[in-house]
Amino acid sequence: MIIQKLIDLTMPITAQTPVYPGDPKPKIEPAATFAQDGYHVSRLVLGSHSGTHVDAPFHFCEHGWRLDDVPLTYFLGRGAVINATGKAEGEAVTMADAAPYIPKLSPGTIVLFHTGWSQYAGTKRYFSHPYVAPEVIEAMLGRGVRTFFIDALNIDPPDGSSFHAHELILGANGVIGENFVNFERIDFDDPYIIALPLSLPGCDGSPVRAVAVQWA
């Protein structure tokens, strides 16, 4: 097989990258410079949920899998894009939106909730994103899905009133990914998704470099 198309689904990490309120803001600064040291090294300060990232079950479950417990197979596989564009601020992705896709889901499928909200990254509106209703998550878990990605800051309501999706997915030792971008560029069927985390033993999450691949 050869790669016919490769789409970057990753939000760049800079000092301006939006973070969940209260999370550490990324900071990138020189630790060594060519002028002074003869080489360049940068110092990175960031939270485990900075930019495009994945949540391990330990994020919400004290006895859930930590990042290094999660099989790497959870972070790559066939993707299913759920079209949930056109939602208003704080509006739920419902079963009416998801129902046409659910019969096609199976264990190993990576669900991509396409809200279109990544277009607002860097603006105040990005923090008033749509979210996924718990019944949608329950139905997909019932189909064996354990990996859920969204192109928004959070898979749960933006006002922080509940974390039902986190509790359901992570409670089932599943994986959540947030702050993805460019889902609208996946214009082909059965994209192969790769979103591998850093090797951070014992951690609750990690930034990822995510891509969608079309094989020829």
Side-chain angles (χ1 to χ4, degrees):
M1 292 190 299
I2 61 173
I3 295 175
Q4 182 171 334
K5 186 177 289 189
L6 185 69
I7 299 171
D8 193 349
L9 307 178
T10 317
M11 179 181 291
I13 297 179
T14 71
Q16 288 72 47
T17 299
V19 299
Y20 189 81
D23 278 9
K25 294 183 178 180
K27 183 178 182 181
I28 304 173
E29 59 186 11
T33 64
F34 190 84
Q36 293 187 352
D37 307 287
Y39 56 89
H40 290 288
V41 174
S42 298
R43 179 181 295 108
L44 311 180
V45 180
L46 66 163
S48 53
H49 302 265
S50 297
T52 305
H53 68 273
V54 292
D55 299 350
F58 184 62
H59 180 42
F60 263 69
C61 304
E62 183 63 23
H63 302 292
W65 282 346
R66 298 177 187 239
L67 188 62
D68 51 318
D69 296 319
V70 181
L72 287 178
T73 52
Y74 279 41
F75 304 109
L76 68 171
R78 183 183 69 86
V81 181
I82 311 300
N83 186 352
T85 56
K87 295 292 179 180
E89 296 181 5
E91 186 179 357
V93 178
T94 67
M95 280 298 295
D97 303 306
Y101 305 93
I102 288 177
K104 304 174 185 177
L105 305 180
S106 60
T109 302
I110 295 177
V111 168
L112 312 176
F113 291 105
H114 178 206
T115 68
W117 222 254
S118 60
Q119 67 182 304
Y120 302 116
T123 72
K124 185 177 180 181
R125 194 177 188 196
Y126 191 63
F127 295 86
S128 301
H129 51 80
Y131 68 98
V132 182
E135 56 266 30
V136 173
I137 300 299
E138 290 174 336
M140 292 180 174
L141 288 171
R143 297 288 299 180
V145 176
R146 291 297 181 269
T147 307
F148 301 80
F149 296 161
I150 191 168
D151 58 349
L153 183 70
N154 186 3
I155 201 169
D156 275 307
D159 60 3
S161 58
S162 70
F163 295 95
H164 289 162
H166 277 80
E167 292 163 355
L168 288 167
I169 296 167
L170 303 182
N173 274 334
V175 168
I176 297 169
E178 295 159 326
N179 287 326
F180 281 70
V181 301
N182 293 332
F183 284 175
E184 68 280 357
R185 293 181 57 196
I186 304 175
D187 57 359
F188 49 92
D189 295 330
D190 296 324
Y192 191 82
I193 307 300
I194 304 171
L196 292 170
L198 300 174
S199 181
L200 298 171
C203 204
D204 51 84
S206 170
V208 299
R209 186 63 182 265
V211 297
V213 183
Q214 181 182 25
W215 300 105

